[in-house]
Amino acid sequence: MLPLPTNKWFPPLLLLCTLIVCSLLFFIIVFLLDEAALGFTGIGASRFLGLAWNPTENQYGILPMLLATLLLTFGALLLAAPLAIAIPCIAIIIVSVVLPPFTVRHCS
């Protein structure tokens, strides 16, 4: 088993790990932007942001997919938010109202 790091070595090690992760994230972002720039120059930003999606005719409009993603996210939020509030409230009611008489009857 490895010994625990001492206070002397732990902060520089943590800083080194942080710098490695941040540099990897930076290079990933640079790579993605570089590859996306090739797509924008080849296709053109106006055709890329259009409404039509037809790859056989070089029409790559992404706005319908973005709109569908936003609508789906909003719909999921409308479904999940009330459940996220209701389920803990029901659990609180069960624990505070139903369980005390049950536990008194069966545990005494």
Side-chain angles (χ1 to χ4, degrees):
M1 180 185 236
L2 294 173
L4 292 174
T6 62
N7 288 338
K8 183 174 113 178
W9 294 104
F10 189 67
L13 181 64
L14 188 62
L15 179 65
L16 177 67
C17 291
T18 304
L19 291 175
I20 289 172
V21 168
C22 288
S23 64
L24 286 174
L25 183 62
F26 173 75
F27 287 121
I28 288 172
I29 290 171
V30 167
F31 174 78
L32 288 175
L33 289 177
D34 185 42
E35 293 296 319
L38 292 174
F40 278 120
T41 57
I43 297 171
S46 61
R47 283 196 297 168
F48 183 70
L49 296 174
L51 292 174
W53 178 265
N54 192 355
T56 58
E57 297 179 12
N58 287 334
Q59 294 177 340
Y60 299 102
I62 198 162
L63 287 180
M65 287 183 264
L66 287 176
L67 182 62
T69 301
L70 290 174
L71 287 174
L72 184 65
T73 302
F74 184 69
L77 181 64
L78 285 177
L79 178 69
L83 289 175
I85 295 170
I87 291 174
C89 291
I90 292 170
I92 289 171
I93 291 170
I94 289 173
V95 167
S96 63
V97 175
V98 176
L99 283 181
F102 177 79
T103 54
V104 167
R105 259 183 279 140
H106 294 342
C107 293
S108 59

